[in-house]
Amino acid sequence: MKIQYVGAAFAALCVSGCVSSGSGDTILAIPREQAAAMSVGQIVLTGRPENVSADFEQVFATQVRQETDRCATGATPLRLEVRVTEFKKANPAMTFLVGDSNVIKGQAVLIDPATGRKVADFDITRSVGGGGLIAAAGMSQAEEQMTEAFGKEICKRAFGV
């Protein structure tokens, strides 16, 4: 009987999935009626942690561009300046056994390039984690996963999508 419980618990652990969460502060928000008229033009990474790959800047720009192209479709382009202050990759073994998370933290600022005026400012923290084989497999592409999550958080905060 004990073996069945252990086997069932092990099976549940193996197929557990990922959980995503976001938090942070909105320092300056774009009014909703103005957000609909805006898009993201240039994406500038002004700071990055030392523990990321040499390709991080390109991965970040690609993933964030894909997300913002979906949510920010207005005619007025803004410059997005991002400073990533923390990036933590989950430990695959810990993810499988007890659950661990990928984490990205940073600041996203949207600037009107015509005036240099800051139109939005957000502190963003995104975490994606879980337990089991499914979560451990999903953690293998941490930079892609977390930069995409960062882009989604920008969409949610700045453009309400």
Side-chain angles (χ1 to χ4, degrees):
M1 193 69 138
K2 284 185 182 180
I3 293 174
Q4 289 175 330
Y5 290 124
V6 172
F10 182 74
L13 181 63
C14 286
V15 297
S16 297
C18 293
V19 176
S20 176
S21 66
S23 65
D25 292 325
T26 298
I27 298 158
L28 176 63
I30 303 172
R32 290 287 175 228
E33 61 277 359
Q34 291 177 8
M38 297 179 176
S39 62
V40 174
Q42 183 182 17
I43 298 173
V44 179
L45 190 61
T46 62
R48 66 185 216 156
E50 293 181 13
N51 65 328
V52 296
S53 73
D55 297 331
F56 182 79
E57 190 167 345
Q58 181 60 43
V59 169
F60 185 89
T62 299
Q63 296 297 98
V64 170
R65 168 70 57 212
Q66 287 176 357
E67 293 304 318
T68 57
D69 281 353
R70 288 182 246 228
C71 71
T73 57
T76 305
L78 300 173
R79 182 175 66 243
L80 173 61
E81 294 184 3
V82 176
R83 182 173 47 90
V84 177
T85 57
E86 181 181 339
F87 185 84
K88 177 187 157 275
K89 294 180 187 177
N91 178 317
M94 294 303 292
T95 299
F96 176 73
L97 294 173
V98 295
D100 198 3
S101 298
N102 289 325
V103 176
I104 189 168
K105 291 182 181 182
Q107 178 184 26
V109 178
L110 289 162
I111 297 171
D112 180 345
T115 64
R117 184 178 62 90
K118 185 189 302 187
V119 296
D121 189 348
F122 309 101
D123 285 334
I124 294 174
T125 300
R126 282 301 303 247
S127 173
V128 177
L133 285 175
I134 294 171
M139 298 295 154
S140 65
Q141 299 293 323
E143 288 184 0
E144 291 85 353
Q145 179 189 63
M146 296 315 300
T147 55
E148 176 185 349
F150 200 92
K152 286 181 179 181
E153 194 69 19
I154 291 169
C155 285
K156 180 175 136 188
R157 300 270 190 94
F159 303 100
V161 178

